[in-house]
Amino acid sequence: MLFQKRLVIISLIILWADIWSINILLGQGFSDASSEAGITLVHNTTGINDHKMGTGAAWLDYNKDGYLDLYVTMRVGANKLFKNNGPDPITGIYNFDEVAGAFGVDDANGDGGGVSIADINNDGWDDIFLANCSGNRLFRNNGPDVNGVFSFTDIISSAFVDGTAGGNSRSPSASWGDYDNDGFLDLYVAQHYTVLGASGGTTQDFLYHNNGNETFSDISNLLVVDSLMGGGFIGGWSDYDKDGDLDIFLINDCPIAIGKPTMVWRNDGGSDPLNWNFTEVSDSIGMDDCRNGMGIGVGDYNRDGWMDIFYTNIGDCVMYSNDADGTFSDVSNQSGIDIQPAQHYSWGAAFMDYDNDGWQDIMVSIGALSLNPSPGFPYNQQPNMFFRNNGDSTFTEMATPLGLNDDRQTRSGIYGDYDNDGDLDLYVTNYEDNCVLNKNNLSNGKHWIKIHLSGTQGNQDGLGSKLKLTTSDGTIQYYETRSGSNLGGGDSPYAHFGLDTNTVITELEIKWLSGEVQVINNLSVDQLLQVVEPLAPLPIELISFSARQENDIVTLEWKTASEYNNDYFIIQRSNDGNYFTDFEKIQGRGTTTFNTDYQSFDLKPLQGDNYYRLKQLDYNGNFDYSEIRLVNFKGKNTTINVFPNPITTGNLNLKFSNTHRNTIIEIRDILGRIVFQRNVENEGNQIIEISTNNWKNGIYLVRVFNITTDQKVKVVLNN
């Protein structure tokens, strides 16, 4: 009998080793890429004695270069913003530079918790919200200046979204959603508890309405303040009933919340955003649990088109299947996700298709409150879990063979394809320990597509949009875009679909939160697809819109045949036709049936290409855009167009606008040293390509001169 038991045990060990070997052989595991990527980070908590929450992390693309950057919060010391430099030209390895201090977003004294990314003002640039202990922060991304240098400004005070009153309130997370579909993202901030031994804090969660002018209004009272008092970990957004507006899910730490369970507010609409109608329905829809809830994941695990809910707990996690009738069913046992020991602390959660088979898997972040065991909390090592979706409404726990069984104090695992190879990587935050960039080594030949949404009628991020993707074999998948769904952090801003072996996407349907429905047919696979929301007709009758150069300025003129509820126009300008900035506001005529002529001037146009468009806004905050007009500006001293700026491609290009003889190109670094010099004879409209591979990152001065011309242009190198 003893021999038989030993034989069984040995057989199981061999089987497990075989599974591990097969996964490694097939390249389906993850590996620690922190060192090679330059993201070695130890989460420091020296002197912190309260509840061991944090650290937060979020993926973003703050400079719109197509590479995911990474923001990480710290309890002690400066937060980190890691700029993704893209692949090394020789090794192909992706590497990062830490730039938080240079941009003023390090928040060294914030006692960081969660971080959430959103474009709050629809200017096309990712802004950063920090849910802190010592006062929250809202860093507006100002975009690049004329020299291509990025900057951020903390607008927390003027925006009126720091309900913590300057500190002493632990905010674990924040999330964004547009509850009134006005095109501007609103904010939910969870408050867990007041700082131990401190006074003046609050345990109330906050819901803020975005007023569309970089200010917010506190409308927390609409959710019934008593329901928001204490223990909140995360408020997530999802249109669970598919009625076209976003509902709110609040995960509470129930005992701390004095018996407050999970809360669900159904969005019932309204006419006044400051007096909107929300109804708390957790009991009637079957989600009135009272557990130690900490994190929430939202995804369609069974591909029926309805968003399901997964949330973490002390002990077993919970899976709620959406019944498609406004209610949910607890399928934790049937699905196989309730296998955790009773004392396991589960924190963040995320739905993600790690192997591109078309089924949403689940990453669960697990970690004890203390690495020092005690009678009440004996489990000092608690490995993370990863549930692979079997495609039959069940899951198999696979963390160990995938190399994701980190047994430290993990708080969040956020997914994003940082190396643009088509599979999702994981960044794992570990409290009081090393955080880890887990590179996905998938090599199973399965296809994928990433989709980046840009809203025009709704919010710029396209958050709240529903995507339905159909492949040539008839498979249908669904995805709902969101920000801040992971505890204390944010997953990839792109919608990611695994396509299995399919090579053709027959149809992609996008239901934008504005109500616009867009259908795209016959898409190729293995690509990042940029999708812009179609423009709705202007709520004015626009007869014409023109832009033309006149000497050293650009004249803009437009005419309306009639106007309805027209508050004002904003003239926007861009140097690439994609990312526009405001430069003048023109008052509209309100409502009129008479022809109206408008005129404006750009007194300082950009050298080279200038793209112009009109943004028209109604009194109720709705807005729309005109068609784009292009002016290639050639001023008195315009000789060349220098691009790209900043330089991120390895090459600097110079395009001469007209013929030049006996002309010298001279480029100096910030110390005045010449790094490039050449005499040119150019017939005009020819491009000179200059390699910058051997240059150091920084500011350079490009000078082009001859007997009649002397032009200087500053460029920034960020290779």
Side-chain angles (χ1 to χ4, degrees):
M1 179 66 73
L2 181 59
F3 175 78
Q4 291 177 338
K5 288 182 178 179
R6 287 177 176 174
L7 182 62
V8 171
I9 293 171
I10 292 171
S11 299
L12 289 173
I13 293 172
I14 293 173
L15 177 62
W16 187 255
D18 287 343
I19 294 172
W20 176 268
S21 300
I22 290 171
N23 278 305
I24 296 299
L25 181 64
L26 296 177
Q28 295 186 11
F30 290 76
S31 60
D32 185 350
S34 309
S35 180
E36 72 171 26
I39 308 180
T40 53
L41 176 64
V42 178
H43 184 243
N44 183 16
T45 61
T46 304
I48 300 294
N49 296 316
D50 63 353
H51 291 78
K52 297 189 174 185
M53 295 156 39
T55 176
W59 296 105
L60 70 161
D61 185 6
Y62 78 88
N63 56 2
K64 299 296 183 185
D65 64 355
Y67 302 125
L68 289 182
D69 313 299
L70 179 65
Y71 192 97
V72 186
T73 67
M74 302 289 287
R75 293 296 308 272
V76 175
N79 296 340
K80 310 297 181 184
L81 174 58
F82 295 101
K83 175 186 176 294
N84 190 335
N85 298 315
D88 183 274
I90 298 175
T91 66
I93 295 175
Y94 281 66
N95 61 83
F96 294 73
D97 288 330
E98 206 291 300
V99 297
F103 292 153
V105 296
D106 54 341
D107 194 29
N109 300 312
D111 192 2
V115 53
S116 187
I117 307 300
D119 183 0
I120 68 162
N121 52 8
N122 291 328
D123 65 352
W125 302 103
D126 287 339
D127 308 300
I128 303 171
F129 183 85
L130 301 181
N132 285 337
C133 182
S134 300
N136 299 332
R137 302 286 185 271
L138 177 56
F139 292 106
R140 182 189 65 211
N141 187 339
N142 301 317
D145 62 14
V146 294
N147 296 315
V149 179
F150 282 81
S151 65
F152 291 78
T153 302
D154 184 4
I155 61 171
I156 192 73
S157 297
S158 60
F160 308 111
V161 288
D162 188 12
T164 63
N168 296 334
S169 302
R170 168 58 58 195
S171 300
S173 64
S175 57
W176 299 89
D178 184 5
Y179 73 84
D180 58 345
N181 295 357
D182 67 348
F184 291 95
L185 292 171
D186 311 302
L187 176 65
Y188 192 102
V189 182
Q191 303 283 126
H192 188 256
Y193 64 93
T194 57
V195 177
L196 300 182
S199 61
T202 180
T203 60
Q204 179 193 313
D205 293 2
F206 292 91
L207 177 63
Y208 296 102
H209 174 259
N210 189 333
N211 300 319
N213 58 0
E214 298 185 0
T215 70
F216 293 75
S217 297
D218 185 353
I219 58 169
S220 310
N221 62 295
L222 301 182
L223 303 183
V224 184
V225 173
D226 183 61
S227 302
L228 306 177
M229 299 301 290
F233 259 102
I234 182 169
W237 302 79
S238 178
D239 183 12
Y240 80 90
D241 52 3
K242 297 174 70 170
D243 65 350
D245 51 36
L246 293 176
D247 313 295
I248 301 173
F249 293 76
L250 172 63
I251 302 302
N252 272 318
D253 193 0
C254 194
I256 293 181
I258 319 175
K260 302 297 182 190
T262 301
M263 310 292 293
V264 181
W265 286 277
R266 187 185 65 216
N267 188 336
D268 289 330
S271 57
D272 180 0
L274 303 185
N275 289 284
W276 210 253
N277 298 308
F278 294 93
T279 303
E280 207 290 305
V281 295
S282 58
D283 184 31
S284 62
I285 69 174
M287 293 187 64
D288 57 336
D289 273 335
C290 187
R291 309 188 190 211
N292 297 92
M294 299 183 191
I296 185 173
V298 182
D300 183 14
Y301 81 95
N302 55 6
R303 300 201 310 210
D304 65 351
W306 296 83
M307 293 299 115
D308 310 297
I309 304 296
F310 178 98
Y311 80 83
T312 60
N313 182 37
I314 298 178
D316 292 344
C317 297
V318 187
M319 174 75 84
Y320 282 108
S321 179
N322 194 323
D323 295 329
D325 61 359
T327 66
F328 290 80
S329 295
D330 186 343
V331 295
S332 308
N333 182 263
Q334 303 96 299
S335 64
I337 58 91
D338 61 341
I339 62 175
Q340 297 168 244
Q343 293 287 342
H344 265 47
Y345 286 77
S346 302
W347 301 86
F351 281 91
M352 56 175 290
D353 184 2
Y354 90 97
D355 56 358
N356 286 336
D357 67 349
W359 295 96
Q360 293 287 302
D361 315 297
I362 304 174
M363 168 68 186
V364 184
S365 302
I366 300 174
L369 282 177
S370 175
L371 293 181
N372 299 312
S374 65
F377 304 98
Y379 297 98
N380 64 329
Q381 288 186 306
Q382 301 184 355
N384 295 330
M385 291 189 170
F386 192 93
F387 293 96
R388 183 182 184 275
N389 194 328
N390 300 319
D392 59 0
S393 297
T394 69
F395 293 80
T396 300
E397 207 288 303
M398 295 281 292
T400 296
L402 291 177
L404 295 174
N405 57 327
D406 196 323
D407 61 2
R408 290 168 288 190
Q409 300 181 84
T410 301
R411 294 297 180 260
S412 189
I414 60 170
Y415 65 81
D417 183 13
Y418 81 93
D419 53 1
N420 286 345
D421 63 353
D423 53 47
L424 293 173
D425 312 292
L426 273 166
Y427 186 77
V428 173
T429 65
N430 288 318
Y431 196 88
E432 298 179 322
D433 215 317
N434 290 289
C435 301
V436 181
L437 176 63
N438 292 282
K439 180 181 179 180
N440 191 335
N441 299 308
L442 182 71
S443 59
N444 60 5
K446 295 183 178 181
H447 299 290
W448 53 273
I449 190 170
K450 295 187 293 186
I451 302 168
H452 181 207
L453 300 182
S454 295
T456 56
Q457 302 180 56
N459 63 86
Q460 171 73 29
D461 295 318
L463 297 183
S465 300
K466 301 178 184 67
L467 288 77
K468 176 184 177 183
L469 183 143
T470 306
T471 48
S472 54
D473 66 349
T475 297
I476 301 176
Q477 297 183 58
Y478 302 86
Y479 193 97
E480 186 182 62
T481 57
R482 62 186 56 83
S483 175
S485 60
N486 208 322
L487 176 62
D491 301 307
S492 171
Y494 308 136
H496 182 103
F497 290 91
L499 304 175
D500 203 57
T501 58
N502 290 284
T503 58
V504 176
I505 299 169
T506 56
E507 183 180 277
L508 172 65
E509 179 188 278
I510 304 170
K511 292 184 178 179
W512 299 84
L513 197 58
S514 65
E516 185 79 34
V517 179
Q518 184 177 7
V519 178
I520 307 172
N521 296 310
N522 299 320
L523 291 169
S524 58
V525 301
D526 301 338
Q527 65 160 319
L528 171 60
L529 178 68
Q530 304 276 350
V531 182
V532 179
E533 183 181 12
L535 294 172
L538 281 170
I540 62 171
E541 187 178 353
L542 186 65
I543 298 175
S544 62
F545 171 50
S546 64
R548 66 182 183 275
Q549 180 179 351
E550 294 183 336
N551 298 318
D552 290 339
I553 66 173
V554 172
T555 299
L556 299 114
E557 295 177 332
W558 63 101
K559 177 181 287 190
T560 63
S562 62
E563 300 178 24
Y564 177 75
N565 199 30
N566 182 25
D567 191 1
Y568 56 89
F569 298 93
I570 293 178
I571 302 174
Q572 297 184 323
R573 184 180 68 189
S574 168
N575 67 348
D576 61 4
N578 292 312
Y579 303 108
F580 287 81
T581 57
D582 302 345
F583 79 86
E584 189 174 7
K585 179 178 177 180
I586 304 293
Q587 194 68 41
R589 291 286 303 275
T591 299
T592 178
T593 57
F594 295 98
N595 289 3
T596 304
D597 294 305
Y598 294 89
Q599 187 179 60
S600 182
F601 305 96
D602 186 357
L603 303 179
K604 296 181 179 180
L606 306 171
Q607 299 288 348
D609 290 342
N610 292 258
Y611 296 85
Y612 298 93
R613 71 181 181 188
L614 296 176
K615 182 178 181 181
Q616 181 272 324
L617 292 96
D618 291 344
Y619 289 116
N620 58 11
N622 294 329
F623 61 92
D624 223 323
Y625 298 96
S626 72
E627 293 182 349
I628 297 171
R629 299 289 183 257
L630 170 63
V631 175
N632 185 265
F633 184 79
K634 301 175 181 179
K636 291 180 178 180
N637 297 318
T638 302
T639 302
I640 58 169
N641 184 21
V642 180
F643 64 95
N645 191 11
I647 309 165
T648 59
T649 62
N651 291 310
L652 173 67
N653 300 300
L654 281 69
K655 182 179 180 182
F656 287 75
S657 61
N658 46 48
T659 301
H660 285 269
R661 298 282 183 259
N662 300 318
T663 299
I664 299 173
I665 301 173
E666 183 182 274
I667 303 177
R668 297 177 181 266
D669 64 15
I670 196 169
L671 299 177
R673 297 172 298 194
I674 296 176
V675 298
F676 180 88
Q677 191 173 54
R678 180 188 296 175
N679 294 335
V680 296
E681 302 283 337
N682 192 285
E683 295 299 329
N685 293 318
Q686 296 179 4
I687 297 177
I688 295 176
E689 188 174 277
I690 302 170
S691 174
T692 63
N693 289 333
N694 296 323
W695 299 6
K696 295 181 179 180
N697 287 346
I699 299 174
Y700 291 82
L701 181 67
V702 180
R703 183 187 179 196
V704 178
F705 60 97
N706 56 28
I707 193 170
T708 61
T709 298
D710 192 346
Q711 181 181 349
K712 301 180 180 69
V713 179
K714 286 184 179 179
V715 296
V716 178
L717 177 63
N718 285 323
N719 277 341

